[in-house]
Amino acid sequence: MKTCNLPILQRKGKRLIDAHIRISNPSTGKSQAVKALIDTGADVCMLPMMLANYLGLPFDDAHKSNSNIKGVTGKALETYEYDLQVDVLDVTMRNIVHTLTVKFKYGRNNLYPPILGTEGFLEHSKLTVDYIKHMITLEF
């Protein structure tokens, strides 16, 4: 089993779990290393528009999502979906811990960071939280 240990960060009084990942679009060959928020309350994985544009993701009817996604405000978001390669990186961002294909949703806004939710990402891993040591462990 492959493991990745990541720190739990404190921002504005909230504990956040960021993962270092490289997202690649096999169709365009473009990739980008980013910090993504691991969100155990999110059903899906999401990308902001800026990253979707950089990776060359289409905003067309063929990629329009049929599912109704609602943000934290409760407002429905028009989204699109695309399968991308995700390399989970260690904390140094130099070594690949695990690679998987994830269906990302994306829309026409930049109101959120890259989010790793249950469908496509967390469902393929075991997540252990150690609040005492301020660490999480992802196992694949």
Side-chain angles (χ1 to χ4, degrees), residues 39-96:
D39 187 345
T40 58
D43 292 329
V44 298
C45 298
M46 297 283 297
L47 291 179
M49 182 178 67
M50 182 173 57
L51 187 54
N53 283 335
Y54 174 78
L55 294 171
L57 303 184
F59 288 85
D60 59 17
D61 287 342
H63 292 89
K64 198 167 197 174
S65 175
N66 294 326
S67 57
N68 189 9
I69 303 292
K70 291 185 180 179
V72 293
T73 64
K75 185 178 177 184
L77 304 171
E78 179 179 73
T79 59
Y80 303 84
E81 54 189 31
Y82 205 84
D83 289 336
L84 299 170
Q85 178 179 306
V86 172
D87 296 325
V88 178
L89 307 172
D90 67 7
V91 75
T92 68
M93 295 184 75
R94 292 188 190 116
N95 302 305
I96 297 172

Side-chain angles (χ1 to χ4, degrees), residues 17-34:
I17 305 169
D18 287 338
H20 300 282
I21 61 172
R22 182 173 32 253
I23 302 174
S24 303
N25 181 350
S27 299
T28 63
K30 290 187 176 182
S31 67
Q32 180 67 45
V34 297

